[in-house]
Coordinates of all heavy atoms in Angstrom, one line a residue:
Chain C
I30 N 18.4 -56.3 280.7 CA 17.3 -56.0 281.6 C 16.0 -56.6 281.0 O 15.7 -56.5 279.8 CB 17.1 -54.5 281.7 CG1 18.3 -53.9 282.5 CG2 15.8 -54.2 282.5 CD1 18.2 -52.4 282.7
S31 N 15.3 -57.4 281.8 CA 14.0 -57.9 281.4 C 12.9 -57.5 282.3 O 13.0 -57.7 283.5 CB 14.1 -59.5 281.4 OG 15.1 -59.9 280.5
I32 N 11.9 -56.8 281.8 CA 10.8 -56.5 282.7 C 9.5 -56.7 281.9 O 9.4 -56.8 280.7 CB 10.8 -55.0 283.1 CG1 10.8 -54.0 281.9 CG2 11.9 -54.7 284.1 CD1 10.6 -52.6 282.2
G33 N 8.4 -57.0 282.7 CA 7.1 -57.1 282.1 C 6.1 -56.2 282.8 O 6.1 -56.1 284.0
I34 N 5.3 -55.5 282.0 CA 4.3 -54.6 282.6 C 2.9 -55.1 282.3 O 2.6 -55.4 281.2 CB 4.6 -53.2 282.0 CG1 5.9 -52.7 282.5 CG2 3.5 -52.2 282.5 CD1 6.6 -51.8 281.5
R35 N 2.1 -55.2 283.4 CA 0.7 -55.7 283.2 C -0.2 -54.6 282.8 O -0.1 -53.4 283.2 CB 0.3 -56.3 284.5 CG 1.1 -57.5 284.9 CD 0.5 -58.3 286.1 NE 1.4 -59.3 286.5 CZ 1.9 -59.4 287.7 NH1 1.5 -58.6 288.6 NH2 2.7 -60.4 288.0
R36 N -1.2 -55.0 282.1 CA -2.3 -54.1 281.6 C -3.0 -53.4 282.8 O -3.3 -54.1 283.8 CB -3.3 -54.8 280.8 CG -4.3 -54.0 280.1 CD -5.3 -54.8 279.3 NE -4.6 -55.6 278.2 CZ -4.4 -55.1 277.0 NH1 -4.8 -53.9 276.7 NH2 -3.8 -55.8 276.1
G37 N -3.1 -52.1 282.8 CA -3.8 -51.4 283.8 C -3.1 -51.2 285.2 O -3.8 -50.9 286.2
E38 N -1.8 -51.4 285.2 CA -1.2 -51.2 286.5 C -0.3 -49.9 286.5 O 0.0 -49.4 285.4 CB -0.3 -52.4 286.9 CG 1.0 -52.5 286.1 CD 1.9 -53.6 286.6 OE1 1.8 -54.0 287.7 OE2 2.8 -54.0 285.8
I39 N 0.1 -49.5 287.6 CA 1.1 -48.4 287.7 C 2.4 -49.1 288.0 O 2.6 -49.7 289.1 CB 0.7 -47.4 288.8 CG1 -0.6 -46.7 288.4 CG2 1.9 -46.3 288.9 CD1 -1.1 -45.7 289.4
F40 N 3.3 -49.1 287.1 CA 4.6 -49.8 287.2 C 5.7 -48.8 287.4 O 5.9 -47.9 286.5 CB 4.8 -50.6 285.9 CG 6.0 -51.5 286.0 CD1 5.9 -52.8 286.5 CD2 7.3 -51.1 285.6 CE1 7.0 -53.6 286.5 CE2 8.4 -51.9 285.6 CZ 8.2 -53.2 286.1
A41 N 6.4 -48.8 288.5 CA 7.4 -47.8 288.7 C 8.8 -48.4 288.3 O 9.0 -49.6 288.5 CB 7.5 -47.4 290.2
V42 N 9.6 -47.5 287.8 CA 11.0 -47.9 287.5 C 11.9 -47.0 288.4 O 11.9 -45.8 288.2 CB 11.4 -47.7 286.0 CG1 12.8 -48.1 285.7 CG2 10.4 -48.5 285.1
L43 N 12.6 -47.6 289.3 CA 13.3 -46.9 290.3 C 14.8 -47.1 290.1 O 15.3 -48.1 289.8 CB 12.9 -47.4 291.7 CG 13.6 -46.9 292.9 CD1 13.3 -45.4 293.2 CD2 13.3 -47.7 294.2
G44 N 15.5 -46.0 290.4 CA 17.0 -46.1 290.3 C 17.6 -44.8 290.6 O 16.9 -43.7 290.5
E45 N 18.9 -44.7 290.9 CA 19.6 -43.5 291.1 C 19.8 -42.8 289.8 O 19.6 -43.3 288.8 CB 21.0 -43.8 291.7 CG 20.9 -44.2 293.2 CD 22.3 -44.2 293.8 OE1 23.1 -45.2 293.5 OE2 22.6 -43.4 294.6
N46 N 20.2 -41.5 289.9 CA 20.6 -40.8 288.6 C 21.6 -41.6 287.9 O 22.6 -42.0 288.5 CB 21.1 -39.4 289.0 CG 20.1 -38.6 289.7 OD1 20.3 -38.5 290.9 ND2 19.2 -38.0 289.0
G47 N 21.4 -41.9 286.6 CA 22.4 -42.6 285.9 C 22.3 -44.1 286.0 O 23.2 -44.8 285.5
A48 N 21.2 -44.6 286.6 CA 21.1 -46.0 286.7 C 20.6 -46.7 285.4 O 20.6 -47.9 285.3 CB 20.1 -46.4 287.9
G49 N 20.1 -45.9 284.5 CA 19.6 -46.4 283.2 C 18.1 -46.5 283.1 O 17.6 -47.0 282.1

Side-chain angles (χ1 to χ4, degrees):
Chain C
I30 294 180
S31 299
I32 56 170
I34 294 147
R35 295 190 187 124
R36 190 180 295 274
E38 73 172 342
I39 298 177
F40 185 90
V42 180
L43 174 70
E45 288 189 285
N46 300 100

